[in-house]
Amino acid sequence: MNYNIAVIAGDGIGPEIVREARKVLDAAGAKYGFTLHYTDLLMGGASIDVHGIPLTDETIEAARKSDAVLMGSIGGDAKTSPWYQLPPEKRPEAGLLKIRKSLNLFANVRPAYLYEELKGACPLKDEIIGDGFDMVIMRELTGGLYFGERKTVEENGEKKAIDTLTYSEGEIRRIAKRAFDIARKRRKKVTSVDKANVLDSSRLWRSVVEEVAKDYEDVTLEHMLVDNCAMQLVRDPKQFDVILTENMFGDILSDEASMVTGSIGMLSSASLNETKFGLYEPSHGSAPDIAGKDLANPIATILSAAMMLRYSLDLDEAADAIEAAVKQVLKDGFRTGDIMSEGCTQVGTAKMGDLIAERIR
Ligand code: IPM
Ligand code: MG
């Protein structure tokens, strides 16, 4: 089988980690009999440098025509990069938000799993870690504060900035269904996270989620306030199976969940619409401070590539093989700097990609 993959390597460590993911994908293709045809697309700072804007319409169309999009990371150092002298809507991040919205990628799936081998990198105490934990954050990705009307006005000689948080019933319902569907294939528990003691959007969120839950009697639903959830994630992360939440809360909680698993360098993500199409990217950023130094951990991108095979291309066996190869490399004691611990062998970005690809062949 042949598939067309749009590749957005992006900025910072993006090109290095995507190169390793492609290496691993090609190894899986050779073994399981499929070929991926890659088309490189520009987004973020890389697109600003060429086109003056972070995402062109042509790029969106090329991505739309592909079977799936594999992405590295976008953005630079906000203090030193000239990209951040531009108005906000022309900065690298605006490209990412625009592609999410244009392709209707409303469901962002971020699994946070503690590998047995990485217990040493987890900052929590042993009695909290126990047998480890395994959760999925289902983050709404095309609504809420990120996409509400925003402006800065001047009133009585003083500047005032306004951001708006809006959710419609339909937007809540479709992401809630996704969360329940995933929970059904796991430990059958959804924790819906909101701020219903303060926000109207959260009160609507809660009532729609309850309505959706009626169609999933085999799945347990609980509601949790976001401040409590932030605390529970470090107090007792084992209690979570699927966390369902709106855009901004999901952004924050997924970073927290990643740290609890040892390193943000391990956290993959899939952004999906109503079809099989998706955009796959690590949950971490472009880490400009270590870009080009062969220091970045490519595993989050490699695991995102595995999600791409599973969700968009139905190549489950190959996806399993990639995930198993990652586990095996960790078992064999290889680590990038971010997850390094005593007695292990530290390797760079490219070597880590080689080691994982070898274990697939
Ligand atoms: C993420 C990132 C983005 C977000 C930024 C780069 C706009 O933090 O994917 O979590 O906030 O969604
Ligand atoms: Mg984030």
Side-chain angles (χ1 to χ4, degrees):
M1 278 298 272
N2 289 285
Y3 301 95
N4 293 315
I5 306 300
V7 179
I8 299 174
D11 311 318
I13 57 172
E16 299 161 71
I17 54 181
V18 162
R19 184 190 63 218
E20 298 316 309
R22 281 173 62 160
K23 199 185 269 175
V24 171
L25 282 169
D26 290 340
K31 171 131 186 212
Y32 293 94
F34 61 87
T35 307
L36 304 182
H37 301 280
Y38 303 103
T39 307
D40 288 304
L41 301 177
L42 295 177
M43 192 171 92
S47 172
I48 296 174
D49 290 345
V50 175
H51 302 294
I53 51 172
L55 182 67
T56 65
D57 291 342
E58 291 73 31
T59 301
I60 297 174
E61 283 324 302
R64 198 193 302 279
K65 281 198 207 108
S66 69
D67 293 308
V69 184
L70 178 67
M71 202 193 114
S73 52
I74 53 108
D77 183 339
K79 281 208 193 90
T80 56
S81 164
W83 301 329
Y84 296 90
Q85 304 301 317
L86 297 165
E89 67 282 4
K90 289 199 168 158
R91 293 180 195 165
E93 287 74 8
L96 180 58
L97 299 189
K98 189 168 176 192
I99 200 166
R100 287 174 178 169
K101 191 74 173 177
S102 308
L103 301 176
N104 196 27
L105 304 171
F106 65 87
N108 184 220
V109 188
R110 297 187 163 183
Y113 172 83
L114 181 66
Y115 286 83
E116 177 71 36
E117 295 75 18
L118 290 187
K119 278 185 178 170
C122 174
L124 302 179
K125 288 191 188 131
D126 283 346
E127 63 256 39
I128 296 176
I129 298 172
D131 314 327
F133 37 83
D134 175 2
M135 63 187 123
V136 171
I137 298 183
M138 178 60 89
R139 168 188 176 193
E140 201 291 328
L141 202 60
T142 52
L145 274 174
Y146 278 62
F147 294 96
E149 194 194 329
R150 71 174 104 258
K151 59 183 173 191
T152 304
V153 294
E154 199 154 326
E155 259 175 29
N156 309 322
E158 190 187 33
K159 273 194 194 145
K160 186 166 117 180
I162 303 155
D163 293 286
T164 34
L165 202 181
T166 340
Y167 270 107
S168 68
E169 291 177 289
E171 285 174 312
I172 302 168
R173 195 172 297 116
R174 65 183 183 178
I175 186 78
K177 280 189 183 157
R178 280 294 174 95
F180 281 95
D181 284 340
I182 286 203
R184 212 167 230 177
K185 293 190 187 156
R186 296 172 44 93
R187 300 196 309 279
K188 299 191 167 49
K189 179 176 172 189
V190 170
T191 305
S192 175
V193 175
D194 61 37
K195 189 70 186 171
N197 52 349
V198 178
L199 302 174
D200 254 21
S201 55
S202 283
R203 286 187 275 268
L204 183 64
W205 182 277
R206 214 174 254 223
S207 73
V208 174
V209 170
E210 275 177 5
E211 227 173 76
V212 171
K214 288 185 189 142
D215 293 331
Y216 296 85
E217 276 178 358
D218 51 326
V219 178
T220 308
L221 168 67
E222 70 174 15
H223 299 284
M224 193 178 278
L225 296 173
V226 62
D227 47 351
N228 185 28
C229 182
M231 180 184 80
Q232 296 296 338
L233 270 172
V234 289
R235 200 190 72 90
D236 178 22
K238 280 196 292 293
Q239 68 184 289
F240 296 109
D241 180 16
V242 176
I243 293 178
L244 161 65
T245 193
E246 64 93 47
N247 204 344
M248 175 87 149
F249 297 159
D251 178 45
I252 299 167
L253 295 175
S254 61
D255 266 32
E256 187 185 0
S258 74
M259 192 57 226
V260 162
T261 66
S263 166
I264 196 163
M266 298 295 298
L267 202 70
S268 57
S269 97
S271 305
L272 310 168
N273 61 21
E274 303 277 13
T275 70
K276 291 220 89 92
F277 181 83
L279 180 148
Y280 299 83
E281 55 166 323
S283 294
H284 59 70
S286 59
D289 52 323
I290 58 164
K293 296 184 178 158
D294 197 42
L295 287 173
N297 183 351
I299 294 181
T301 316
I302 291 169
L303 292 173
S304 303
M307 287 177 96
M308 175 177 89
L309 299 184
R310 193 183 301 287
Y311 293 132
S312 286
L313 311 182
D314 284 323
L315 297 165
D316 286 65
E317 215 186 340
D320 289 346
I322 293 178
E323 288 165 4
V326 168
K327 250 185 209 153
Q328 191 57 49
V329 163
L330 296 174
K331 211 172 253 163
D332 294 343
F334 296 104
R335 304 280 188 276
T336 43
D338 57 317
I339 50 174
M340 184 59 191
S341 58
E342 227 183 279
C344 293
T345 311
Q346 189 163 338
V347 296
T349 312
K351 180 74 182 169
M352 183 55 97
D354 287 341
L355 291 166
I356 295 169
E358 262 167 36
R359 279 157 184 75
I360 290 169
R361 288 182 206 114

